[in-house]
Amino acid sequence: MADFAAASGAGQKAGVALAATGLILTVAMPGTGALTATAESNQASAALTGTQPEIPAAASATIDFSRAAVSTTADPDSKLKQLLSAQSVGSIKTSSSKGTLGAPLDTLTTASPFGYRVNPITGGLGEFHRGQDFVAQCGTQVHAAAAGKVTFAGWHPYGGGNRIVVDHGNGLETTYNHLSSFNVQVGQTVNRGDVIALSGTTGASTGCHLHFEVMVNGDVVDPLGWL
Ligand SMILES: [Zn+2]
């Protein structure tokens, strides 16, 4: 009985450790099961020889949507330009816009999604969260999501703190908030992937992160429909 309890405890510990390192998520992706070999040899042999092993994950485990900031060798800016010129930006469907903006951080891990949520500062219900919060230590490089012109780089009086707005043309804008410092000025043209700022926690923010917004004709939309 004692042995069983000990073994069970060790198993749980391993599961928690996997979740904490993010390795747990690599096994959920097809074709990468072999990567578990680095985690634990017993599980690795099971993964290689048998059916997909059950993956333990704490309910609180962070879902990691990691991807590279520059993810394609094609010309993503001309793809975006074509999309924006082909039709009114307001009528573009997610199936067309998905993937046309580049990641504003090297690693995108959602801390708080776009849409209605409990306000993290006031605890109030039903607050509309105008952007997507991504995990970012203060001082992390922030990239322009696409080519465009900087139309604002300054203090946002409504909570954004140090904020940059990039106009991509045809009614599409992206904004970057709570920054610790700027690398660009108003009027400057930027290329996709340029480091335009360092992340921070200025303005209405409970800790270091990047609040990223996508605006279509002045209205915020879910950034995940464009990333
Ligand atoms: Zn936010």
Side-chain angles (χ1 to χ4, degrees), residues 5-105:
S8 165
Q12 284 174 2
K13 232 181 224 171
V16 170
L18 281 169
T21 57
L23 286 171
I24 194 89
L25 295 148
T26 59
V27 299
M29 295 157 67
T32 58
L35 289 179
T36 55
T38 57
E40 220 202 47
S41 55
N42 285 345
Q43 289 191 2
S45 56
L48 292 172
T49 57
T51 50
Q52 183 89 2
E54 193 179 352
I55 307 304
S60 60
T62 302
I63 297 173
D64 186 351
F65 296 102
S66 302
R67 73 185 83 171
V70 179
S71 58
T72 172
T73 53
D75 184 352
D77 268 313
S78 60
K79 188 185 166 198
L80 177 62
K81 210 170 180 180
Q82 278 176 17
L83 178 69
L84 292 178
S85 60
Q87 56 191 311
S88 162
V89 67
S91 64
I92 294 173
K93 295 207 163 55
T94 303
S95 55
S96 310
S97 62
K98 187 88 186 150
T100 55
L101 287 178
L105 296 167

Side-chain angles (χ1 to χ4, degrees), residues 112 117 129-133 178 209-212:
S112 181
R117 68 171 185 183
H129 186 219
R130 295 171 53 82
Q132 189 92 6
D133 287 349
H178 311 310
H209 73 284
L210 177 71
H211 173 99
F212 175 71

Side-chain angles (χ1 to χ4, degrees), residues 112-120 125-133 211-212 220-223:
S112 181
F114 174 88
Y116 286 98
R117 68 171 185 183
V118 173
N119 185 302
L125 297 170
E127 181 211 46
F128 187 74
H129 186 219
R130 295 171 53 82
Q132 189 92 6
D133 287 349
H211 173 99
F212 175 71
V220 289
V221 298
D222 188 349

